Structures are given as C-alpha cells and as structure tokens.
Amino acid sequence: MLIGLIHTTMNSIAPINDAFHAIDPDVQLMNFLDEGIMPELRSKGATARIKREILQLAWSAEAAGADGILMNCSLMSPYAGELAKCVDIPLIGADLAMLEYVTEHARRVGVVSTVAKAGPTTKRLLEKLAASRGKEMEVSVTVVPEAFAALNQDDVQKHNELVQQAALDYDGKVDMIVFSQMSMVRALTPDFAHGHRTEIVTSPSISAKSILAKVRAVKKEG
C-alpha cells in the first residue's frame, strides 16, 4: 500500500512518517511538500490559488500510484471534503479524524496552537462537528506563535517548553487538550508524558489509522 502525504511545512513530515512506521512498517509513504503556499494561506486563507496548488500535489500523488492521500495541514482541513471530490482515491484531512475522536469523547476542550489561524480553525471545526451531532461543546484556544518561530529556528527545546506550558495551563480544567498542528507532537516528550492529568490528543496516529482504514475498505469493496 502506498500513501501520499501532503505537507505545507517540513515540520509535519517527521511526525506523520513516524506514526505510519509505528502502525505498519510495510506501508510505503511518499511525501509531497509545498512550503511556498504558507504565507498566502496564513494571510488570506484557502484562496482558489491555494486550493489549486494543493490539488496539484494530490494529483501528483495519485499519478505516482498512491492508494490514498493524507493532507497534513490544519488550515486546509475544512476543505478536505471539497478537495476529495477532485481525486479518484481516498483523501482526508489529518485534523478531521482527530477532531471526530475529540467530539465523541469530550465536552470541554482546550486547543493549543502555534500558528495564529490554526487555533480558531480547529475551534470552528470542533463546534461544527459537535453541532452536527446535537452536542454542546465549550472550546478555548491558546496560540503560542513564539513556539512555531522557535521550531523554524531549530530550537526544538524552546518549542516544546512553550507548548507544554500552554498545555499545563489547561490541565485539569478541560476534558481533553488538543494540539492543533501535527508539528506539535514533538512536545510530547517522555518526561512530559507523566506531568499532566488531562488527555492530550494529537493527529498523527489517529489520522494514519483513519486513512489506512479507508483505503482498505475501498480495496475490499473493489
């Protein structure tokens, strides 16, 4: 099985590749990266041009023989369903699988983000999912842009410390804590794993299992 992974930042490549390798080492992965769209995506949102650029990556993955596509960009997650209609293989947004899990198991949620627009985007998606299930959800958002800047400067320790502190501010006050971006999973260091009570949810493992399940279901039907 070959899975195409779409990225808009290099910071998401290692976490999702590691997740797939832990789940099924036999799965082949192909990474498609376009960091050039991030400035416009952050400032203007998912414009028509941005969607075309993402679709070009998806079509490249499809042409390369991918059985499924996982889109690893929080800001593009709301458009995964729209983009999926333009390819002939399963395509999902990494965040959506994670947020469906959160919606099912939590009512009070603390979202931690390191990109300004990612936090509010995650909140809107959670509220939309909750409303579709007739469920009330209380979502708070904390954005730590200094952490993203530190990661881009290869200061992983500072990134992790800032993200961990933001998470601890929610600890014991919400049902679940959500790290809205895949790049944030590196903050779940072994020493931090035992330093909080509230479950922290990230997308790599959940989304990897989700796209694998969808591809296997399609193959079974075929």
PDB file of all heavy atoms in Angstrom, residues 142-170:
ATOM      1  N   THR A 142      -5.611  28.646  22.865  1.00  0.00           N
ATOM      2  CA  THR A 142      -4.382  29.350  23.219  1.00  0.00           C
ATOM      3  C   THR A 142      -3.429  29.246  22.035  1.00  0.00           C
ATOM      4  O   THR A 142      -3.169  28.148  21.540  1.00  0.00           O
ATOM      5  CB  THR A 142      -3.705  28.729  24.453  1.00  0.00           C
ATOM      6  OG1 THR A 142      -4.576  28.854  25.582  1.00  0.00           O
ATOM      7  CG2 THR A 142      -2.386  29.434  24.749  1.00  0.00           C
ATOM      8  N   VAL A 143      -2.927  30.377  21.580  1.00  0.00           N
ATOM      9  CA  VAL A 143      -1.988  30.401  20.453  1.00  0.00           C
ATOM     10  C   VAL A 143      -0.616  30.839  20.961  1.00  0.00           C
ATOM     11  O   VAL A 143      -0.503  31.838  21.672  1.00  0.00           O
ATOM     12  CB  VAL A 143      -2.457  31.357  19.340  1.00  0.00           C
ATOM     13  CG1 VAL A 143      -1.467  31.349  18.174  1.00  0.00           C
ATOM     14  CG2 VAL A 143      -3.848  30.965  18.853  1.00  0.00           C
ATOM     15  N   VAL A 144       0.394  30.055  20.591  1.00  0.00           N
ATOM     16  CA  VAL A 144       1.764  30.340  21.029  1.00  0.00           C
ATOM     17  C   VAL A 144       2.659  30.493  19.795  1.00  0.00           C
ATOM     18  O   VAL A 144       3.416  29.578  19.433  1.00  0.00           O
ATOM     19  CB  VAL A 144       2.303  29.213  21.941  1.00  0.00           C
ATOM     20  CG1 VAL A 144       3.565  29.675  22.656  1.00  0.00           C
ATOM     21  CG2 VAL A 144       1.266  28.764  22.946  1.00  0.00           C
ATOM     22  N   PRO A 145       2.609  31.629  19.117  1.00  0.00           N
ATOM     23  CA  PRO A 145       3.388  31.810  17.885  1.00  0.00           C
ATOM     24  C   PRO A 145       4.897  31.733  18.108  1.00  0.00           C
ATOM     25  O   PRO A 145       5.650  31.371  17.195  1.00  0.00           O
ATOM     26  CB  PRO A 145       2.962  33.195  17.389  1.00  0.00           C
ATOM     27  CG  PRO A 145       2.410  33.888  18.599  1.00  0.00           C
ATOM     28  CD  PRO A 145       1.793  32.817  19.439  1.00  0.00           C
ATOM     29  N   GLU A 146       5.334  32.062  19.336  1.00  0.00           N
ATOM     30  CA  GLU A 146       6.767  32.003  19.635  1.00  0.00           C
ATOM     31  C   GLU A 146       7.295  30.573  19.506  1.00  0.00           C
ATOM     32  O   GLU A 146       8.465  30.355  19.164  1.00  0.00           O
ATOM     33  CB  GLU A 146       7.039  32.513  21.046  1.00  0.00           C
ATOM     34  CG  GLU A 146       6.634  33.967  21.285  1.00  0.00           C
ATOM     35  CD  GLU A 146       5.172  34.104  21.675  1.00  0.00           C
ATOM     36  OE1 GLU A 146       4.466  33.077  21.712  1.00  0.00           O
ATOM     37  OE2 GLU A 146       4.748  35.242  21.943  1.00  0.00           O
ATOM     38  N   ALA A 147       6.429  29.601  19.751  1.00  0.00           N
ATOM     39  CA  ALA A 147       6.845  28.200  19.652  1.00  0.00           C
ATOM     40  C   ALA A 147       7.105  27.815  18.192  1.00  0.00           C
ATOM     41  O   ALA A 147       8.068  27.110  17.885  1.00  0.00           O
ATOM     42  CB  ALA A 147       5.783  27.288  20.255  1.00  0.00           C
ATOM     43  N   PHE A 148       6.236  28.285  17.302  1.00  0.00           N
ATOM     44  CA  PHE A 148       6.431  27.979  15.880  1.00  0.00           C
ATOM     45  C   PHE A 148       7.698  28.642  15.355  1.00  0.00           C
ATOM     46  O   PHE A 148       8.460  28.047  14.583  1.00  0.00           O
ATOM     47  CB  PHE A 148       5.221  28.457  15.074  1.00  0.00           C
ATOM     48  CG  PHE A 148       5.207  27.967  13.645  1.00  0.00           C
ATOM     49  CD1 PHE A 148       4.856  26.656  13.352  1.00  0.00           C
ATOM     50  CD2 PHE A 148       5.543  28.824  12.603  1.00  0.00           C
ATOM     51  CE1 PHE A 148       4.839  26.204  12.039  1.00  0.00           C
ATOM     52  CE2 PHE A 148       5.534  28.379  11.293  1.00  0.00           C
ATOM     53  CZ  PHE A 148       5.181  27.068  11.008  1.00  0.00           C
ATOM     54  N   ALA A 149       7.933  29.876  15.801  1.00  0.00           N
ATOM     55  CA  ALA A 149       9.149  30.577  15.400  1.00  0.00           C
ATOM     56  C   ALA A 149      10.383  29.836  15.890  1.00  0.00           C
ATOM     57  O   ALA A 149      11.382  29.702  15.166  1.00  0.00           O
ATOM     58  CB  ALA A 149       9.131  32.004  15.942  1.00  0.00           C
ATOM     59  N   ALA A 150      10.320  29.332  17.120  1.00  0.00           N
ATOM     60  CA  ALA A 150      11.454  28.587  17.674  1.00  0.00           C
ATOM     61  C   ALA A 150      11.713  27.316  16.884  1.00  0.00           C
ATOM     62  O   ALA A 150      12.872  26.969  16.596  1.00  0.00           O
ATOM     63  CB  ALA A 150      11.177  28.244  19.140  1.00  0.00           C
ATOM     64  N   LEU A 151      10.640  26.624  16.485  1.00  0.00           N
ATOM     65  CA  LEU A 151      10.795  25.383  15.722  1.00  0.00           C
ATOM     66  C   LEU A 151      11.424  25.658  14.364  1.00  0.00           C
ATOM     67  O   LEU A 151      12.278  24.899  13.893  1.00  0.00           O
ATOM     68  CB  LEU A 151       9.439  24.706  15.556  1.00  0.00           C
ATOM     69  CG  LEU A 151       9.456  23.283  14.992  1.00  0.00           C
ATOM     70  CD1 LEU A 151      10.290  22.352  15.860  1.00  0.00           C
ATOM     71  CD2 LEU A 151       8.025  22.757  14.863  1.00  0.00           C
ATOM     72  N   ASN A 152      11.033  26.748  13.750  1.00  0.00           N
ATOM     73  CA  ASN A 152      11.604  27.111  12.450  1.00  0.00           C
ATOM     74  C   ASN A 152      13.075  27.491  12.550  1.00  0.00           C
ATOM     75  O   ASN A 152      13.803  27.476  11.559  1.00  0.00           O
ATOM     76  CB  ASN A 152      10.812  28.260  11.821  1.00  0.00           C
ATOM     77  CG  ASN A 152       9.503  27.785  11.208  1.00  0.00           C
ATOM     78  OD1 ASN A 152       9.359  26.619  10.856  1.00  0.00           O
ATOM     79  ND2 ASN A 152       8.546  28.685  11.095  1.00  0.00           N
ATOM     80  N   GLN A 153      13.507  27.828  13.771  1.00  0.00           N
ATOM     81  CA  GLN A 153      14.918  28.142  14.010  1.00  0.00           C
ATOM     82  C   GLN A 153      15.657  26.955  14.611  1.00  0.00           C
ATOM     83  O   GLN A 153      16.766  27.093  15.127  1.00  0.00           O
ATOM     84  CB  GLN A 153      15.012  29.352  14.947  1.00  0.00           C
ATOM     85  CG  GLN A 153      14.454  30.638  14.344  1.00  0.00           C
ATOM     86  CD  GLN A 153      14.285  31.751  15.364  1.00  0.00           C
ATOM     87  OE1 GLN A 153      14.646  31.606  16.529  1.00  0.00           O
ATOM     88  NE2 GLN A 153      13.732  32.873  14.919  1.00  0.00           N
ATOM     89  N   ASP A 154      15.018  25.785  14.526  1.00  0.00           N
ATOM     90  CA  ASP A 154      15.594  24.526  15.028  1.00  0.00           C
ATOM     91  C   ASP A 154      15.808  24.510  16.541  1.00  0.00           C
ATOM     92  O   ASP A 154      16.605  23.724  17.047  1.00  0.00           O
ATOM     93  CB  ASP A 154      16.922  24.213  14.319  1.00  0.00           C
ATOM     94  CG  ASP A 154      16.730  23.934  12.838  1.00  0.00           C
ATOM     95  OD1 ASP A 154      15.702  23.330  12.489  1.00  0.00           O
ATOM     96  OD2 ASP A 154      17.594  24.329  12.042  1.00  0.00           O
ATOM     97  N   ASP A 155      15.087  25.373  17.250  1.00  0.00           N
ATOM     98  CA  ASP A 155      15.153  25.371  18.708  1.00  0.00           C
ATOM     99  C   ASP A 155      13.987  24.522  19.230  1.00  0.00           C
ATOM    100  O   ASP A 155      12.974  25.043  19.718  1.00  0.00           O
ATOM    101  CB  ASP A 155      15.076  26.792  19.252  1.00  0.00           C
ATOM    102  CG  ASP A 155      15.436  26.880  20.738  1.00  0.00           C
ATOM    103  OD1 ASP A 155      15.431  25.817  21.402  1.00  0.00           O
ATOM    104  OD2 ASP A 155      15.711  27.992  21.219  1.00  0.00           O
ATOM    105  N   VAL A 156      14.152  23.215  19.126  1.00  0.00           N
ATOM    106  CA  VAL A 156      13.076  22.292  19.491  1.00  0.00           C
ATOM    107  C   VAL A 156      12.773  22.360  20.992  1.00  0.00           C
ATOM    108  O   VAL A 156      11.612  22.278  21.405  1.00  0.00           O
ATOM    109  CB  VAL A 156      13.445  20.849  19.083  1.00  0.00           C
ATOM    110  CG1 VAL A 156      12.363  19.872  19.536  1.00  0.00           C
ATOM    111  CG2 VAL A 156      13.633  20.759  17.572  1.00  0.00           C
ATOM    112  N   GLN A 157      13.803  22.540  21.797  1.00  0.00           N
ATOM    113  CA  GLN A 157      13.598  22.591  23.241  1.00  0.00           C
ATOM    114  C   GLN A 157      12.698  23.764  23.634  1.00  0.00           C
ATOM    115  O   GLN A 157      11.784  23.601  24.447  1.00  0.00           O
ATOM    116  CB  GLN A 157      14.939  22.700  23.973  1.00  0.00           C
ATOM    117  CG  GLN A 157      14.790  22.728  25.496  1.00  0.00           C
ATOM    118  CD  GLN A 157      16.132  22.746  26.226  1.00  0.00           C
ATOM    119  OE1 GLN A 157      17.165  22.503  25.634  1.00  0.00           O
ATOM    120  NE2 GLN A 157      16.103  23.039  27.516  1.00  0.00           N
ATOM    121  N   LYS A 158      12.948  24.936  23.067  1.00  0.00           N
ATOM    122  CA  LYS A 158      12.111  26.096  23.387  1.00  0.00           C
ATOM    123  C   LYS A 158      10.688  25.862  22.893  1.00  0.00           C
ATOM    124  O   LYS A 158       9.713  26.181  23.596  1.00  0.00           O
ATOM    125  CB  LYS A 158      12.695  27.362  22.754  1.00  0.00           C
ATOM    126  CG  LYS A 158      11.890  28.615  23.075  1.00  0.00           C
ATOM    127  CD  LYS A 158      12.542  29.859  22.482  1.00  0.00           C
ATOM    128  CE  LYS A 158      11.733  31.107  22.810  1.00  0.00           C
ATOM    129  NZ  LYS A 158      12.338  32.332  22.237  1.00  0.00           N
ATOM    130  N   HIS A 159      10.557  25.322  21.687  1.00  0.00           N
ATOM    131  CA  HIS A 159       9.235  24.998  21.144  1.00  0.00           C
ATOM    132  C   HIS A 159       8.481  24.105  22.117  1.00  0.00           C
ATOM    133  O   HIS A 159       7.331  24.364  22.486  1.00  0.00           O
ATOM    134  CB  HIS A 159       9.379  24.304  19.791  1.00  0.00           C
ATOM    135  CG  HIS A 159       8.118  23.626  19.313  1.00  0.00           C
ATOM    136  ND1 HIS A 159       7.802  22.321  19.648  1.00  0.00           N
ATOM    137  CD2 HIS A 159       7.094  24.070  18.548  1.00  0.00           C
ATOM    138  CE1 HIS A 159       6.643  21.993  19.100  1.00  0.00           C
ATOM    139  NE2 HIS A 159       6.193  23.030  18.433  1.00  0.00           N
ATOM    140  N   ASN A 160       9.132  23.037  22.551  1.00  0.00           N
ATOM    141  CA  ASN A 160       8.483  22.068  23.430  1.00  0.00           C
ATOM    142  C   ASN A 160       8.090  22.688  24.770  1.00  0.00           C
ATOM    143  O   ASN A 160       6.991  22.447  25.279  1.00  0.00           O
ATOM    144  CB  ASN A 160       9.404  20.877  23.662  1.00  0.00           C
ATOM    145  CG  ASN A 160       9.596  20.043  22.410  1.00  0.00           C
ATOM    146  OD1 ASN A 160       8.917  20.251  21.395  1.00  0.00           O
ATOM    147  ND2 ASN A 160      10.521  19.109  22.462  1.00  0.00           N
ATOM    148  N   GLU A 161       8.976  23.483  25.338  1.00  0.00           N
ATOM    149  CA  GLU A 161       8.687  24.100  26.628  1.00  0.00           C
ATOM    150  C   GLU A 161       7.483  25.038  26.549  1.00  0.00           C
ATOM    151  O   GLU A 161       6.627  25.041  27.446  1.00  0.00           O
ATOM    152  CB  GLU A 161       9.913  24.862  27.122  1.00  0.00           C
ATOM    153  CG  GLU A 161      11.071  23.949  27.537  1.00  0.00           C
ATOM    154  CD  GLU A 161      12.337  24.721  27.871  1.00  0.00           C
ATOM    155  OE1 GLU A 161      12.358  25.964  27.618  1.00  0.00           O
ATOM    156  OE2 GLU A 161      13.296  24.105  28.368  1.00  0.00           O
ATOM    157  N   LEU A 162       7.405  25.816  25.474  1.00  0.00           N
ATOM    158  CA  LEU A 162       6.294  26.758  25.317  1.00  0.00           C
ATOM    159  C   LEU A 162       4.970  26.018  25.119  1.00  0.00           C
ATOM    160  O   LEU A 162       3.942  26.383  25.701  1.00  0.00           O
ATOM    161  CB  LEU A 162       6.562  27.689  24.142  1.00  0.00           C
ATOM    162  CG  LEU A 162       7.679  28.725  24.344  1.00  0.00           C
ATOM    163  CD1 LEU A 162       8.036  29.393  23.018  1.00  0.00           C
ATOM    164  CD2 LEU A 162       7.251  29.765  25.379  1.00  0.00           C
ATOM    165  N   VAL A 163       4.994  24.975  24.309  1.00  0.00           N
ATOM    166  CA  VAL A 163       3.779  24.195  24.060  1.00  0.00           C
ATOM    167  C   VAL A 163       3.353  23.455  25.331  1.00  0.00           C
ATOM    168  O   VAL A 163       2.162  23.425  25.681  1.00  0.00           O
ATOM    169  CB  VAL A 163       4.005  23.197  22.904  1.00  0.00           C
ATOM    170  CG1 VAL A 163       2.839  22.222  22.788  1.00  0.00           C
ATOM    171  CG2 VAL A 163       4.190  23.948  21.583  1.00  0.00           C
ATOM    172  N   GLN A 164       4.302  22.889  26.024  1.00  0.00           N
ATOM    173  CA  GLN A 164       3.994  22.165  27.263  1.00  0.00           C
ATOM    174  C   GLN A 164       3.380  23.091  28.302  1.00  0.00           C
ATOM    175  O   GLN A 164       2.426  22.717  28.999  1.00  0.00           O
ATOM    176  CB  GLN A 164       5.258  21.501  27.799  1.00  0.00           C
ATOM    177  CG  GLN A 164       5.743  20.332  26.953  1.00  0.00           C
ATOM    178  CD  GLN A 164       7.143  19.876  27.316  1.00  0.00           C
ATOM    179  OE1 GLN A 164       7.773  20.440  28.228  1.00  0.00           O
ATOM    180  NE2 GLN A 164       7.653  18.882  26.626  1.00  0.00           N
ATOM    181  N   GLN A 165       3.910  24.289  28.433  1.00  0.00           N
ATOM    182  CA  GLN A 165       3.372  25.231  29.411  1.00  0.00           C
ATOM    183  C   GLN A 165       1.931  25.609  29.060  1.00  0.00           C
ATOM    184  O   GLN A 165       1.068  25.707  29.943  1.00  0.00           O
ATOM    185  CB  GLN A 165       4.229  26.495  29.489  1.00  0.00           C
ATOM    186  CG  GLN A 165       3.765  27.478  30.558  1.00  0.00           C
ATOM    187  CD  GLN A 165       3.674  26.837  31.934  1.00  0.00           C
ATOM    188  OE1 GLN A 165       4.648  26.302  32.453  1.00  0.00           O
ATOM    189  NE2 GLN A 165       2.486  26.863  32.540  1.00  0.00           N
ATOM    190  N   ALA A 166       1.676  25.833  27.768  1.00  0.00           N
ATOM    191  CA  ALA A 166       0.309  26.163  27.339  1.00  0.00           C
ATOM    192  C   ALA A 166      -0.643  25.012  27.653  1.00  0.00           C
ATOM    193  O   ALA A 166      -1.793  25.235  28.067  1.00  0.00           O
ATOM    194  CB  ALA A 166       0.302  26.473  25.845  1.00  0.00           C
ATOM    195  N   ALA A 167      -0.164  23.780  27.465  1.00  0.00           N
ATOM    196  CA  ALA A 167      -0.994  22.612  27.767  1.00  0.00           C
ATOM    197  C   ALA A 167      -1.267  22.509  29.266  1.00  0.00           C
ATOM    198  O   ALA A 167      -2.395  22.222  29.690  1.00  0.00           O
ATOM    199  CB  ALA A 167      -0.314  21.350  27.257  1.00  0.00           C
ATOM    200  N   LEU A 168      -0.244  22.755  30.062  1.00  0.00           N
ATOM    201  CA  LEU A 168      -0.407  22.660  31.519  1.00  0.00           C
ATOM    202  C   LEU A 168      -1.393  23.692  32.056  1.00  0.00           C
ATOM    203  O   LEU A 168      -2.031  23.469  33.084  1.00  0.00           O
ATOM    204  CB  LEU A 168       0.951  22.813  32.206  1.00  0.00           C
ATOM    205  CG  LEU A 168       1.914  21.637  32.046  1.00  0.00           C
ATOM    206  CD1 LEU A 168       3.268  21.954  32.669  1.00  0.00           C
ATOM    207  CD2 LEU A 168       1.321  20.374  32.677  1.00  0.00           C
ATOM    208  N   ASP A 169      -1.528  24.810  31.352  1.00  0.00           N
ATOM    209  CA  ASP A 169      -2.483  25.829  31.771  1.00  0.00           C
ATOM    210  C   ASP A 169      -3.927  25.312  31.676  1.00  0.00           C
ATOM    211  O   ASP A 169      -4.823  25.832  32.352  1.00  0.00           O
ATOM    212  CB  ASP A 169      -2.328  27.087  30.914  1.00  0.00           C
ATOM    213  CG  ASP A 169      -1.051  27.853  31.242  1.00  0.00           C
ATOM    214  OD1 ASP A 169      -0.478  27.612  32.320  1.00  0.00           O
ATOM    215  OD2 ASP A 169      -0.623  28.676  30.406  1.00  0.00           O
ATOM    216  N   TYR A 170      -4.146  24.302  30.828  1.00  0.00           N
ATOM    217  CA  TYR A 170      -5.475  23.695  30.690  1.00  0.00           C
ATOM    218  C   TYR A 170      -5.630  22.440  31.555  1.00  0.00           C
ATOM    219  O   TYR A 170      -6.740  21.949  31.736  1.00  0.00           O
ATOM    220  CB  TYR A 170      -5.729  23.283  29.235  1.00  0.00           C
ATOM    221  CG  TYR A 170      -6.066  24.418  28.298  1.00  0.00           C
ATOM    222  CD1 TYR A 170      -5.274  24.677  27.181  1.00  0.00           C
ATOM    223  CD2 TYR A 170      -7.189  25.214  28.509  1.00  0.00           C
ATOM    224  CE1 TYR A 170      -5.585  25.704  26.308  1.00  0.00           C
ATOM    225  CE2 TYR A 170      -7.517  26.251  27.640  1.00  0.00           C
ATOM    226  CZ  TYR A 170      -6.705  26.488  26.541  1.00  0.00           C
ATOM    227  OH  TYR A 170      -7.018  27.509  25.672  1.00  0.00           O
TER     228      TYR A 170
END
